[in-house]
Amino acid sequence: MRNNNQKVVLCLAKKEYRSDRGRSIVLTGAVAFAVMMLFSVFSFASGKLQTDMLRSARQRGAVSNTTLERATQKQYEQIQELSYIRHTGKYIQFGNVFGNRAAVVDDVAWEKIKSPAFTDIHGTYPEGKMEIMFPVRALEMMGISQPQIGMELPVAIEFSEERQEEFVFRLSGYYTEYIDTSQYGPPDVYFSQAFLDAVSDGEEWDVTLFMRQDDRVTGRQVEQKLYRDIAMRDIKQRFFGNNTSVEVAVFTMVGGFDTLFMITVVILLSAGLLIYNVQYIFYERRIREYGLLKTLGTTRKQLCAIVFWQTAVTILRGSLLGMLAGGMLVLLVLPLLLSRMYLYRIGSAAGMITFRPLFLVLSVLFVSCVAFLCSALSIRHTMNLTPVEAANYQKLEAAYTGKSVYRQKGGGFRLWQMAWRNMWRFRRRFLVSAVCLTLGLLVSLGVVMLSHGVDTANEIESVYWDMWVNSDILNTDYYDISLGSHRKNDDGTITIFPQEFLEKIQALPGIAESAVTRGGFGQVKMNEEALALFMRDYEWPWWIDWATFVTAELSGEQLAEGRNLQ
Amino acid sequence: MKVLETRNVRKIYHTPSGEVHALDGVSISVEDGQFVAIIGSSGSGKTTLLNMLGGLDNPTDGVVFVRGEDIGRLKVDELTVFRRRNIGFVFQNYNLVPVLNVYENIMLPLQLDGRGPDERFFEQIIDTLKLREKLDSMPHMLSGGQQQRVAIARALSAKPAVILADEPTGNLDSVTGMEVVGLLKSSASLLHQTIVVVTHNEEIAQMTDHIIRIEDGKVRGGKDEE
């Protein structure tokens, strides 16, 4: 029974493969497209997630999510032992330098928590006693546009209101940060531990611990765990836990991990169905060939060898093409796209690893598995047919179709009837096609959503102006302290920025556009009953004994008219 | 010795218009070395019977023996191997593998079985069937008669005990048809093979040792009554 003659099988496989170029091209194209699609989509999604995480980290100036103020050495050591905390770094702020924070961080805090949020880091973290590291923004404020490592800088440090001292430091490094100062305060100017020890004069500085938790642990969970595992030094000491960048990025992009999973399934299903559909169409054409081979004595194993060899060649060629196309897309286009769309004005995406070989390998593996599975299914189907059934497979179908069509011709032939009959007759094929088209549309919509719907360039554009002027309304001639409100014009309107001022701004060279934004605050007073109702649905942390409610009751018209502005 | 035997074989096809009894209790037997014709009108069930004899289709009911083996009890792959070792097929539409040349087509059943060619026998076949000049040609380059000769050579190459031919002259002109049947008969006589030919050509049927006449799926008798 055994037959190990692989030569004839290989010969058949090769000759059959070469004989139908159209089929080979379409199948190879389908594999290439599926590999490219999967690799690009997952690379894009991963890149987008990374970008969001990077954006969030850059705006915060750190990749940590959780902090503990006034930490003790014991707490630091205990936290380092915790399995759900990946990195713990020490941070000490001991004063201010030109409006920036004068700080010292340990190796972990710099390497794992701070520096990943910065770009263009030149030089090294200060180690010598009189070494200093500046953010570029601070250097520019000092009038240094072209800093040199090793240059000497006279720096005045404000240790406290009473203590201010000036030193001359050697610039050991500088970095570019993108901290959103309105939310996270000014950037840090870094000093060495040696310098801090020298100027401390026995003073104990408050140590803040920056912690980077495991990505699977939410901010709420990490707080609960930390309060459970670490003893607080006093009642005022608190942990501040935030969700990880991964969670925030996933939530921002698609709404949550469950949606991400669903989208992943839909994308995989689309690629799988594409391969299945194309292979199925060509398989139907080949059933007669398989039937003939079976008649001539080709066993299941030999048929498997023929079909699997052809599938392997198709996958190899398709995967190479898909890898090439996907690789080019991911390496050349994606970083550009991500930088322009999501990292606008907060650094480039050039340093990000958007090309992930693992995605490529997984894409090729998935497509290969589907292709081999489809081939195995077609062999199984063929082997379940007798040679006669295989030989007549298409004949029967064609004969049946023809017969029905012609019969209708005499009695008033309708195209839609033919379409309906065909649809009903080939229900399975119709269903697969319908699902394929639906998934195709879904994926297309998903791509549009990903590339445009979550494009934050506009949001950044609107939030981060090149320059803005705040009216310090309390210190202008337009605010009447005795009245506690703006002085109204004769026509009842309020002027915060005089027209002449706005015109002067507009006339400045380089100003392309300007706008005036006005806002207001409102306060809602609630009685205890109403408050209890609100509090019932929210589990407040134990230390919260107050809350601020922001309302949006004022309409645009009211704001424009200046009514109710208090 | 009975090489082929069917016992009360039935074949029912289910079609949209109802059941079709292609074979209705057919019992026949063919002796070793016989040249048998199965004749009948179109749709009478003769091709269905041939398919049953060759294990190309499964009977709805009944048993088929080939060289004493109940082929209905064989597994799919066992039947495939049994078929390629014991039965050669010649079809009306030749059924040559289009991507293989003449030589490769002839050798295919042997090679699928993992056997090398019997050079002397191969030479004998191609000389008898006048295929020497065409060994490198592809099937589409050959005439109908030439393709049928290749199909016969392929059927003979594995030296099967039985040759089953379904309308082997159906696509050929009468002269070529008679020539092909003659070749089939003389080639098979070399190996004392049993040949069963399905035909509706009475002239060809008269060249055989035995005729099985089928009408409406039932055996009606023939030149040499069962």
Side-chain angles (χ1 to χ4, degrees), chain A residues 117-136:
Chain A
F118 306 144
T119 65
D120 306 308
I121 299 172
H122 298 273
T124 55
Y125 187 84
E127 285 183 4
K129 184 182 162 188
M130 297 313 287
E131 285 187 340
I132 194 167
M133 187 177 209
F134 265 100
V136 169

Side-chain angles (χ1 to χ4, degrees), chain A residues 1 3 5 8 11-12 15-16 19 292-302 383 386-388 400, chain B residues 16 51 56-58 76-78 80-81 83-84 89 91 95-96 99-100 104 108 111-114 154:
Chain A
M1 283 291 290
N3 169 29
N5 188 359
V8 66
C11 169
L12 263 174
K15 291 202 170 183
E16 278 204 337
S19 70
L292 172 61
L293 288 175
K294 206 174 154 186
T295 303
L296 296 174
T298 312
T299 59
R300 181 192 297 265
K301 198 176 165 186
Q302 288 170 326
M383 294 313 281
T386 64
V388 170
Y400 185 44
Chain B
N51 289 337
L56 298 180
D57 207 353
N58 303 320
V76 177
D77 269 357
E78 287 173 343
T80 303
V81 174
R83 199 164 46 220
R84 81 182 175 205
F89 293 94
F91 299 99
N95 274 346
L96 299 177
V99 296
L100 301 180
E104 290 163 338
L108 185 62
Q111 291 184 324
L112 285 172
D113 205 36
R154 182 180 66 186

Side-chain angles (χ1 to χ4, degrees), chain A residues 9-30:
Chain A
V9 169
L10 194 65
C11 169
L12 263 174
K14 278 183 185 174
K15 291 202 170 183
E16 278 204 337
Y17 188 80
R18 285 181 201 143
S19 70
D20 197 344
R21 282 200 169 183
R23 184 178 66 95
S24 311
I25 290 171
V26 173
L27 277 173
T28 306

Side-chain angles (χ1 to χ4, degrees), chain A residues 110-175:
Chain A
W110 173 247
E111 293 292 334
K112 305 289 184 187
I113 291 168
K114 285 288 183 183
S115 66
F118 306 144
T119 65
D120 306 308
I121 299 172
H122 298 273
T124 55
Y125 187 84
E127 285 183 4
K129 184 182 162 188
M130 297 313 287
E131 285 187 340
I132 194 167
M133 187 177 209
F134 265 100
V136 169
R137 196 177 345 191
L139 286 171
E140 282 172 353
M141 282 170 70
M142 292 160 67
I144 302 166
S145 57
Q146 290 185 321
Q148 300 290 325
I149 300 294
M151 70 191 294
E152 292 201 335
L153 295 168
V155 176
I157 304 173
E158 190 182 333
F159 290 97
S160 63
E161 280 186 21
E162 298 80 31
R163 185 182 170 195
Q164 290 183 19
E165 288 179 49
E166 192 167 320
F167 303 88
V168 176
F169 289 94
R170 181 185 160 273
L171 188 68
S172 73
Y174 55 94
Y175 64 93

Side-chain angles (χ1 to χ4, degrees), chain A residues 512-533:
Chain A
E513 192 186 340
S514 71
V516 177
T517 310
R518 301 162 91 186
F521 290 98
Q523 196 170 28
V524 178
K525 285 184 180 174
M526 280 189 184
N527 61 25
E528 281 189 16
E529 268 179 90
L531 200 60
L533 207 64

Side-chain angles (χ1 to χ4, degrees), chain A residues 47-56 338 342-343 352:
Chain A
K48 173 70 175 66
L49 280 176
Q50 267 188 296
T51 311
D52 281 354
M53 290 190 290
L54 198 61
R55 197 163 68 102
S56 154
L338 292 171
Y342 307 123
L343 285 177
M352 285 169 44

Side-chain angles (χ1 to χ4, degrees), chain B residues 94-208:
Chain B
Y94 328 125
N95 274 346
L96 299 177
V97 180
V99 296
L100 301 180
N101 64 25
V102 169
Y103 176 80
E104 290 163 338
N105 260 292
I106 295 170
M107 298 306 291
L108 185 62
L110 265 179
Q111 291 184 324
L112 285 172
D113 205 36
R115 284 187 274 162
D118 177 345
E119 291 296 342
R120 204 175 140 202
F121 181 60
F122 176 76
E123 296 288 326
Q124 202 175 358
I125 291 174
I126 59 165
D127 283 339
T128 309
L129 294 168
K130 297 172 189 164
L131 289 171
R132 185 167 292 281
E133 306 299 319
K134 300 290 179 186
L135 288 179
D136 292 327
S137 305
M138 299 304 285
H140 69 270
M141 297 157 72
L142 305 176
S143 67
Q146 287 169 332
Q147 288 193 54
Q148 197 58 293
R149 292 211 298 272
V150 176
I152 292 169
R154 182 180 66 186
L156 292 169
S157 66
K159 299 180 189 171
V162 180
I163 303 277
L164 301 177
D166 186 6
E167 304 268 15
T169 60
N171 284 339
L172 307 174
D173 60 75
S174 57
V175 177
T176 315
M178 291 307 287
E179 188 191 7
V180 163
V181 174
L183 284 170
L184 194 60
K185 195 174 177 181
S186 60
S187 305
S189 69
L190 286 170
L191 296 163
H192 300 286
Q193 287 165 315
T194 303
I195 303 175
V196 179
V197 180
V198 163
T199 183
H200 56 261
N201 186 327
E202 286 285 345
E203 205 177 341
I204 290 170
Q206 293 309 319
M207 292 169 72
T208 63

